[in-house]
Amino acid sequence: MQTAAEDTASTIPAYKANFLRTCIDEGVLRFGTFELKSKRVSPYFFNAGLFYRADLHRSISTAYAETIRTFVAKNPLGFDVLFGPAYKAIPLAAATTTKLAELEPERFGYLSYSFNRKEAKDHGEGGSIVGCPLKNKRVVIIDDVITTGTAIEEAINIIKREGGKLVAIIVAVDRMERTAVQGGEESVSAIGQIRTRYGVPVLAILTLDDIMDGLSKLDAGEDMRRLGEYRDKYRAND
């Protein structure tokens, strides 16, 4: 009998299937009833903060790295730095940089990473950036999710202020849903808005479609039904 990861590999790439399986097995991706910051009631919740164990951290960094490699293999994207906005994305940037260099040393062997301090340091070397300076560098932002776009906008402004050039963004999950705003909803997602505003690709390890494709191979009938209803109700028109 095949494992769930082997089952899902036929519809989504193996690295996505493996990551999805890890997320489900370890409770990073949970199904049930969850109230989001937007006050929507969601049938699923993704918590990247649970990737704190060595094997789990290796899983997410590998998935980020494979997502980038898959995109770069088909698109002319060159970059010098992975930038992880403080705080949650700092270990993601460091681990993914190392994983990319390990998987493809010819291309990524000299890739750098950096992150920002929440408060600029006024002694020692000073400044608000730790790691590779961003001036004249092509930068990819790495983060867990984009919900409203506010945090990503802050990161983009930091890169611009430091003289870097944003060339792409990568997140763990794209919920593919319309942005909730006061008094109503946008027709596009926060990710779609960022893509349009800055003209850069926004990659995701998993989309909601990927999650549903993976679950279709498992015994998850009720979860699939609720996910489908939620997707139909809130799907963005990106």
Side-chain angles (χ1 to χ4, degrees), residues 174-224:
D174 177 1
R175 294 180 61 94
M176 303 176 67
E177 64 186 70
R178 300 192 300 275
T179 303
V181 295
Q182 188 173 5
E185 296 174 345
E186 299 282 358
S187 62
V188 298
S189 67
I191 284 180
Q193 292 173 346
I194 293 294
R195 282 193 186 109
T196 300
R197 186 174 303 147
Y198 295 100
V200 299
V202 182
L203 317 180
I205 301 173
L206 294 174
T207 66
L208 179 54
D209 284 346
D210 291 330
I211 293 170
M212 293 191 67
D213 282 347
L215 285 181
S216 68
K217 298 295 183 180
L218 307 177
D219 183 17
E222 179 61 17
D223 290 331
M224 280 288 293

Side-chain angles (χ1 to χ4, degrees), residues 100-110:
L100 280 167
E102 176 186 314
L103 291 173
E104 203 169 336
E106 317 80 33
R107 189 192 295 258
F108 299 115
Y110 291 93

Side-chain angles (χ1 to χ4, degrees), residues 63-198:
Y64 274 121
E66 292 293 4
T67 302
I68 291 171
R69 292 179 70 218
T70 299
F71 183 82
V72 169
K74 299 177 182 179
N75 300 274
L77 175 68
F79 62 100
D80 310 298
V81 180
L82 276 181
F83 180 77
Y87 290 103
K88 192 181 291 186
I90 294 173
L92 300 178
T96 303
T97 298
T98 300
K99 180 56 68 172
L100 280 167
E102 176 186 314
L103 291 173
E104 203 169 336
E106 317 80 33
R107 189 192 295 258
F108 299 115
Y110 291 93
L111 183 65
S112 300
Y113 79 93
S114 65
F115 57 91
N116 62 298
R117 294 186 176 96
K118 285 291 188 179
E119 296 182 3
K121 189 176 179 182
D122 59 4
H123 60 280
E125 74 278 15
S128 62
I129 300 298
V130 181
C132 181
L134 300 181
K135 188 173 182 180
N136 298 324
K137 294 294 193 299
R138 299 165 298 176
V139 182
V140 173
I141 295 174
I142 184 170
D143 213 340
D144 56 348
V145 296
I146 296 177
T147 305
T148 64
T150 303
I152 286 293
E153 294 273 8
E154 291 176 1
I156 292 171
N157 289 334
I158 290 169
I159 292 167
K160 188 180 300 184
R161 185 179 69 235
E162 295 292 327
K165 180 183 179 182
L166 176 70
V167 296
I169 299 167
I170 183 168
V171 296
V173 174
D174 177 1
R175 294 180 61 94
M176 303 176 67
E177 64 186 70
R178 300 192 300 275
T179 303
V181 295
Q182 188 173 5
E185 296 174 345
E186 299 282 358
S187 62
V188 298
S189 67
I191 284 180
Q193 292 173 346
I194 293 294
R195 282 193 186 109
T196 300
R197 186 174 303 147
Y198 295 100

